[in-house]
Amino acid sequence: MESQVRGGTRWKRFAVVMVPSVAATAAIGVALAQGALAASFSVSGQEFKVRAGLLEGTGFTQYGAIDTGKSLDGKKDEAHPVAVSAFESAKITDLCQSVVTPIPLLGKDVTLKLTAGDQGKKVEASQLYIDVANLDAKDAVFKQMDIGVAAGSVKGPKPKPEEYDQKKASPFGFAQQADTATLTDVRQTAWATTAGTFRLSNLHMGLSWGSGAKYECY
């Protein structure tokens, strides 16, 4: 059943369950003008989907790391291996981000969906880090690419000191870099995103009952 979440008693019950589990994910998209986000934090118990029609990045680096946090019910410690894709700057056309949260009290799912950069003006980001669990792209073009660089020696964004201190990344681990990266029809799942600045044009965020391709980004 498709409907927008509305106010009243149902909303209050929904908010008690929904807000703690998705607040961190929502903040990635809507806390736009507050400068750099946390360099290292415990991720939520939910991965989220990201779709982009076109991603154009400069100063691209990619390295392996571990994200840590709790399960959605808070009962277990979890570790998630990720490929961190980092850009000195990036422009994104037709961006979509979605996350699904189950509501145990009602036996339903709620999907939070955010869209931007879909009306002629691109999303812009600087010092963008995306902790990716899975990625598919129709086409990917890298220019001046080096594969097998030590993560601490890349020219672009490097693992952050907090990642070294917490043993979540190694300066001697495998990495790759390129002057530019252009990806089309991108679909990925991720555990976290951070950016120095993140400017979203034509931003829209909505909540809907349900899950699946009809409600999520894909």
Side-chain angles (χ1 to χ4, degrees):
M1 179 178 70
E2 181 181 4
S3 63
Q4 296 298 317
V5 178
R6 294 181 170 83
T9 304
R10 177 176 293 181
W11 166 253
K12 293 177 182 178
R13 277 186 287 171
F14 162 78
V16 170
V17 180
M18 181 75 171
V19 172
S21 57
V22 303
T25 302
I28 291 169
V30 300
L32 308 179
Q34 299 179 6
L37 302 181
S40 180
F41 50 82
S42 294
V43 298
S44 74
Q46 298 166 270
E47 60 183 356
F48 54 94
K49 292 181 177 180
V50 180
R51 188 195 71 229
L54 176 66
L55 189 157
E56 303 165 286
T58 61
F60 167 77
T61 61
Q62 188 176 67
Y63 59 90
I66 299 293
D67 283 353
T68 58
K70 291 286 188 179
S71 59
L72 185 56
D73 59 13
K75 295 180 180 179
K76 297 187 297 181
D77 293 325
E78 294 187 337
H80 312 287
V82 295
V84 180
S85 296
F87 303 87
E88 289 181 347
S89 64
K91 294 184 178 181
I92 306 170
T93 303
D94 191 17
L95 173 68
C96 178
Q97 177 181 295
S98 63
V99 62
V100 176
T101 297
I103 310 300
L105 293 177
L106 302 177
K108 296 181 179 181
D109 292 334
V110 169
T111 296
L112 181 153
K113 185 176 179 181
L114 177 153
T115 60
D118 55 355
Q119 297 183 33
K121 190 174 182 180
K122 300 177 182 180
V123 171
E124 297 180 0
S126 65
Q127 293 300 308
L128 176 65
Y129 289 76
I130 309 171
D131 295 10
V132 179
N134 186 70
L135 181 146
D136 292 295
K138 185 176 181 179
D139 194 29
V141 178
F142 302 90
K143 293 186 177 180
Q144 300 299 315
M145 188 168 194
D146 300 313
I147 299 174
V149 183
S153 300
V154 295
K155 295 180 292 185
K158 298 176 174 61
K160 299 176 181 179
E162 293 91 340
E163 293 178 286
Y164 296 151
D165 294 342
Q166 298 172 23
K167 308 299 183 184
K168 294 181 178 181
S170 169
F172 311 109
F174 175 91
Q176 52 190 358
Q177 63 184 8
D179 287 352
T180 65
T182 304
L183 292 80
T184 58
D185 194 11
V186 181
R187 298 185 178 192
Q188 62 186 12
T189 54
W191 286 101
T193 298
T194 65
T197 59
F198 205 176
R199 178 174 295 174
L200 282 78
S201 58
N202 305 116
L203 171 66
H204 174 76
M205 187 180 72
L207 297 165
S208 299
W209 291 111
S211 59
K214 182 178 179 181
Y215 305 95
E216 302 172 60
C217 293
Y218 60 88

